[in-house]
Amino acid sequence: QKEVEQNSGPLSVPEGAIASLNCTYSDRGSQSFFWYRQYSGKSPELIMSIYSNGDKEDGRFTAQLNKASQYVSLLIRDSQPSDSATYLCAVLYDYKLSFGAGTTVTVRA
Amino acid sequence: DAGVIQSPRHEVTEMGQEVTLRCKPISGHDYLFWYRQTMMRGLELLIYFNNNVPIDDSGMPEDRFSAKMPNASFSTLKIQPSEPRDSAVYFCASSLVWDRRTDTQYFGPGTRLTVL
């Protein structure tokens, strides 16, 4: 089984701060990595994908990938109350996504 | 586009009953995925289809679970007989393409199943 581990939450950050989410994966053959956001009672939605080592920025979100360390992270800059949600790390292997348990983020106004 | 459509949104049934969950993917999407989400096990892939053909059903938990895709616009996930441990949110997702540098999977709103 392809394991995906995320830092345990919940994570509480003040509005305007940076939220840092971490994820490690077990399978070195994994090639594509994703961050999904899931609001309570809703379905997951893709917010970031990353395939190469390094950083990828999209607005207030930055994904970082280090394949040697089997590590993926997501930074949320200038956190807003609307960012309060559960963030799921997903790793693609053999055409199938394996999801982490998720980290719940609460942004305090 | 209406997005992925799932029905029913909520289902409450008694142990031993047959349950059928339905999904209509986004028009033109060739890939369809069924997931299950629970607090204990998180979000798990059950089965996925490409052009109506089941490609990988290794995540289907038991023979009590079956899935079909009779045409490009409709899929069902059936549980017979249902058990309390099947209680979960079942998501259907679809994707235009699905290769190693992948397209996005679009999730439906989910069906919350409660088996008493």
Side-chain angles (χ1 to χ4, degrees):
Chain A
Q1 181 171 344
K2 309 297 184 277
E3 294 191 356
V4 180
E5 300 285 340
Q6 295 187 238
N7 51 328
S8 59
L11 180 64
S12 180
V13 298
E15 185 174 357
I18 295 175
S20 178
L21 308 174
N22 302 318
C23 173
T24 58
Y25 58 96
S26 63
D27 199 309
R28 288 192 174 274
S30 302
Q31 298 185 6
S32 304
F33 308 87
F34 307 88
W35 285 98
Y36 282 80
R37 178 177 62 199
Q38 187 174 25
Y39 292 113
S40 179
K42 303 296 184 182
S43 55
E45 59 176 328
L46 181 68
I47 56 171
M48 288 287 288
S49 58
I50 187 166
Y51 314 117
S52 304
N53 282 329
D55 295 357
K56 179 181 178 182
E57 187 173 316
D58 184 359
R60 297 185 294 108
F61 297 97
T62 299
Q64 299 173 317
L65 173 61
N66 184 325
K67 291 184 179 180
S69 300
Q70 296 176 237
Y71 174 88
V72 191
S73 67
L74 180 71
L75 299 177
I76 307 173
R77 294 184 303 280
D78 188 22
S79 295
Q80 302 296 308
S82 60
D83 295 326
S84 298
T86 296
Y87 290 81
L88 303 172
C89 174
V91 177
L92 181 68
Y93 185 77
D94 196 21
Y95 296 93
K96 295 182 286 188
L97 284 179
S98 293
F99 286 84
T103 300
T104 298
V105 174
T106 300
V107 180
R108 309 186 305 270
Chain B
D1 202 319
V4 176
I5 299 172
Q6 291 187 245
S7 65
R9 294 293 305 277
H10 302 273
E11 176 81 25
V12 180
T13 190
E14 294 190 346
M15 183 174 62
Q17 297 299 306
E18 178 179 295
V19 175
T20 300
L21 310 181
R22 297 172 176 80
C23 175
K24 176 179 170 55
I26 294 172
S27 178
H29 282 195
D30 290 338
Y31 289 82
L32 183 139
F33 307 82
W34 282 101
Y35 289 90
R36 177 173 69 175
Q37 187 172 39
T38 63
M39 289 294 293
M40 290 296 295
R41 300 178 65 87
L43 190 60
E44 306 173 283
L45 177 66
L46 300 178
I47 185 172
Y48 79 93
F49 295 82
N50 177 26
N51 291 322
N52 313 336
V53 177
I55 303 301
D56 191 317
D57 66 353
S58 59
M60 296 286 264
E62 307 171 30
D63 291 344
R64 298 184 296 107
F65 286 70
S66 63
K68 295 182 179 179
M69 193 165 185
N71 58 61
S73 59
F74 183 67
S75 177
T76 61
L77 178 67
K78 185 174 295 186
I79 308 172
Q80 167 63 21
S82 58
E83 297 183 3
R85 60 194 168 119
D86 301 330
S87 297
V89 179
Y90 290 82
F91 289 105
C92 176
S94 72
S95 180
L96 184 60
V97 294
W98 192 243
D99 59 21
R100 296 190 187 278
R101 292 297 177 103
T102 190
D103 194 6
T104 302
Q105 286 189 18
Y106 294 89
F107 282 76
T111 295
R112 182 174 295 276
L113 173 65
T114 302
V115 183
L116 303 175

